[in-house]
Every structure is written in structure tokens, then in C-alpha cells.
């Protein structure tokens, strides 16, 4: 089975890319550029009418939303062990991914994507100014929640999701170095060979 991932470098789609690489999946990439508005072009809207990345083309159809793409990848290539089999641990992974997608990522979007919520330039500026505080609160919560090396009792796709969002913290005015457990987890994820390969590819495409 071959799948195709639609992605923009450095975005949350990086988590799905890293998961495919970790899983040893056979996949193709379709890179898009926000700068060229390729995510709102008709051919991409036919893939994902939400005009967001990631979108994953699978033999069953298109899948979007990072918690769903990550879990599907993990459970489609179970031998990679990317999702806990224990129900409690799996629920903890979903809990983390749901929080990352619905709260942390949304707070981050208030910096650059304020036009989703208001067309008032002053209101957009005011929302962006809150990002260091709201993302700082999320980082503090995550720091307090981390007990072991990983979010669950072993590495999982939830760690990939957290790693990608942790990469945005410095740019959001929240020094990752101020959160030692989060920082260490992020470094552990980045040191995995599959993740390092994928991160290098994104760095090349970001240039
Ligand atoms: N809930 C979605 C959010 C996806 C999303 O917002 N991706 C951003 C990139 S990090 C995007 O495509 N933004 C384009 C835009 O806002 O126009 C997920 O978790 O996958």
C-alpha cells in the first residue's frame, strides 16, 4: 500500500510525515507552499476543502486532522509500535493529541492566523500579543504533566505531535529551555533517526 501526504514544511504535517517514516510506510509526498497560496488552490481544495495540511491520501479515502492521521498510521503499521495497545495508555495518547490539536495549536494560530476570527487589524494584533501568555500556559501545563521519558509508557505518535508543536514555542515567545522536561522530550524525539531524516528534509524545503 502506498499513501500520499500533502504537507507544508515545518507545519503540523511534519508529525504525520515523521510517523510514516517511523512506521516504515511506503509513501509519497506532495509539498505545498503557503506563500504561493497552493493550499487554497482548487486542486488542493478538492483534496481537503478545509484548506489545511496535513491531508493523507489512503486507499480508503482522504484523511485529515493530525490526531486521526497519526492514529491511523500507527494502527495501520502496528509492528512499529507507535500507539500503545493498553486501553488506558492509548487513551492517554489520544488525550494529549486532542489537547495539542484543539487548544495548543489553536492558541499558536492566534499569532499568524488571526484573520480566521476577526478582520479588525487592531483585534488581530491584540490576539497575537496574547500568544506568549497562552502558549506559556500550555507549556507549563505540559511540563507539569510529563512524568517519564514519553507522554505514555513508551514512545508513541503523541510524542511526535508534541515535538512538532514544541518546535514553535521559541518563535511564540516561550523559551523551550525554560521547560526542562518538555525540552528533553523534544530532544529525545529529534534524536530518533527516522525523525532526524524527516526534519532535515523539512529544513531543505523551508529554504
Ligand atoms: N486541526 C488540524 C489543523 C491543521 C492546520 O491548521 N494546519 C495549518 C498548518 S500548521 C494549516 O494548514 N494552516 C493553513 C491556514 O490556516 O490557512 C490538525 O491538527 O491537523
Amino acid at each position: 500500500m502506498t499513501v500520499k501526504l500533502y504537507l507544508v514544511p515545518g507545519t503540523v504535517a511534519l508529525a504525520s510525515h515523521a510517523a510514516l517514516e517511523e512506521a516504515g510506510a511506503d509513501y509519497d509526498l506532495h509539498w505545498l507552499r503557503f506563500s504561493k497560496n497552493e493550499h487554497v488552490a482548487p486542486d488542493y481544495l478538492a483534496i481537503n476543502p478545509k484548506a489545511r495540511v496535513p491531508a493523507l491520501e489512503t486507499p480508503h479515502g482522504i484523511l485529515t486532522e493530525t490526531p486521526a492521521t497519526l492514529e491511523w498510521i500507527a494502527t495501520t503499521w502496528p509492528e512499529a509500535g507507535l500507539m500503545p495497545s493498553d486501553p488506558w495508555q492509548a487513551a492517554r495518547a489520544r488525550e494529549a493529541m486532542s489537547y495539542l490539536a484543539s487548544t495548543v495549536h489553536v492558541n499558536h494560530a492566534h499569532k499568524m492566523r488571526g484573520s480566521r476570527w476577526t478582520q479588525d487589524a487592531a483585534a488581530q494584533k491584540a490576539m497575537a500579543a496574547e500568544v506568549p501568555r497562552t502558549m506559556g500556559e500550555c507549556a507549563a501545563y505540559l511540563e507539569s504533566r510529563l512524568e517519564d521519558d514519553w507522554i505514555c509508557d513508551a514512545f508513541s505518535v503523541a510524542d511526535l505531535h508534541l515535538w512538532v508543536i514544541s518546535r514553535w514555542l521559541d518563535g511564540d515567545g516561550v523559551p523551550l529551555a525554560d521547560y526542562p522536561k518538555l525540552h528533553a522530550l523534544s530532544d529525545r524525539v529529534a534524536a530518533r533517526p527516522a525523525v532526524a531524516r524527516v526534519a532535515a528534509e523539512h529544513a531543505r524545503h523551508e529554504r
Side-chain angles (χ1 to χ4, degrees):
M1 169 181 33
T2 305
V3 297
K4 189 199 272 190
L5 180 68
Y6 293 81
L7 74 174
V8 172
T11 64
V12 75
L14 168 59
S16 298
H17 187 183
L20 288 167
E21 187 72 12
E22 285 277 352
D26 188 9
Y27 64 90
D28 295 325
L29 298 175
H30 184 117
W31 295 94
L32 300 166
R33 281 157 298 183
F34 288 148
S35 59
K36 300 211 163 170
N37 285 324
E38 288 170 346
H39 61 307
V40 290
D43 52 349
Y44 186 64
L45 292 178
I47 303 286
N48 184 6
K50 290 182 273 193
R52 305 279 184 92
V53 290
L56 187 62
E57 205 170 281
T58 79
H60 314 283
I62 304 282
L63 192 62
T64 61
E65 301 299 328
T66 297
T69 56
L70 288 177
E71 184 163 357
W72 183 79
I73 293 164
T75 50
T76 300
W77 286 272
E79 59 287 349
L82 299 175
M83 188 77 189
S85 51
D86 172 73
W88 173 249
Q89 293 294 329
R92 296 267 289 167
R94 289 188 198 102
E95 176 189 44
M97 294 191 288
S98 178
Y99 175 65
L100 290 167
S102 66
T103 300
V104 190
H105 193 162
V106 174
N107 286 343
H108 166 78
H110 281 69
K111 188 174 73 168
M112 301 292 285
R113 302 289 188 194
S115 61
R116 281 183 201 161
W117 294 281
T118 177
Q119 299 310 309
D120 178 337
Q124 287 178 13
K125 207 171 155 197
M127 284 197 295
E130 292 297 320
V131 169
R133 179 183 63 77
T134 59
M135 288 299 274
E137 285 170 5
C138 292
Y141 166 73
L142 289 161
E143 181 75 8
S144 72
R145 184 201 179 288
L146 292 173
E147 288 160 8
D148 299 311
D149 281 1
W150 309 111
I151 291 172
C152 302
D153 59 355
F155 173 73
S156 74
V157 282
D159 299 300
L160 293 174
H161 200 173
L162 178 57
W163 165 67
V164 170
I165 289 187
S166 298
R167 287 163 49 102
W168 301 339
L169 285 175
D170 285 328
D172 285 346
V174 180
L176 180 57
D178 289 354
Y179 302 89
K181 290 188 205 162
L182 201 50
H183 196 188
L185 185 146
S186 183
D187 283 352
R188 268 192 294 278
V189 174
R192 295 176 67 87
V195 173
R197 279 195 298 278
V198 162
E201 211 175 333
H202 280 245
R204 278 197 300 279
H205 278 266
E206 265 164 1
R207 272 188 228 123

